[in-house]
Amino acid sequence: MDVQNTIGGSLQISTDVLAKIARLAALEVGGVAEVTTGNSQNVRRLLGRTGLQKPVSVSLEDGVAAVTVHLTANYGQKIMPLCEKVQENVKQTIQNMTGITVSRVDVLVVGLAQPEAED
């Protein structure tokens, strides 16, 4: 958690909140199908766990955040420009909403969403 002293006390922002902001910011970028770890439902069922890995992780050190986002891209998207847009949007959104500096945003593309079949 980030702790900042304010006039009336202190402010703490959970890393879970930062992860939620990062997830929503990544989903705002066109071409992102979903933010997911890429673990299939069968694997989760087999192991009996749903939380094997979080799709977004945030670590805070000395008030500076490092974010990792796992996502599925839409088929046909150019991956490098998509990842750069996700990095920029996640970084700017977290910094604008919380005032916490983001040192890096790592984006891992873990899958491709198949195009929708037209009727």
Side-chain angles (χ1 to χ4, degrees):
M1 284 192 189
D2 184 46
V3 179
Q4 298 177 356
N5 292 324
T6 61
I7 296 172
S10 66
L11 167 68
Q12 296 180 343
I13 300 174
S14 167
T15 54
D16 290 339
V17 172
L18 297 176
K20 180 76 171 188
I21 293 169
R23 180 184 176 279
L24 294 172
L27 288 171
E28 289 176 352
V29 177
V32 174
E34 61 182 327
V35 175
T36 181
T37 58
N39 294 335
S40 72
Q41 294 294 330
N42 293 335
V43 172
R44 285 186 221 165
R45 224 177 293 123
L46 179 67
L47 297 176
R49 294 190 228 162
T50 56
L52 297 175
Q53 182 181 18
K54 293 183 178 181
V56 179
S57 61
V58 178
S59 63
L60 274 172
E61 189 171 318
D62 298 326
V64 178
V67 182
T68 302
V69 179
H70 297 79
L71 59 85
T72 300
N74 288 326
Y75 178 79
Q77 292 293 311
K78 293 186 177 184
I79 301 297
M80 291 303 290
L82 174 68
C83 292
E84 290 170 358
K85 288 178 187 174
V86 169
Q87 287 175 317
E88 185 61 30
N89 199 44
V90 167
K91 180 177 181 175
Q92 288 302 317
T93 303
I94 289 175
Q95 290 183 162
N96 290 341
M97 290 182 72
T98 66
I100 294 172
T101 302
V102 177
S103 63
R104 62 185 296 133
V105 178
D106 296 322
V107 178
L108 287 89
V109 179
V110 295
L112 288 176
Q114 296 181 1
E116 301 273 330
E118 294 182 20
D119 294 330

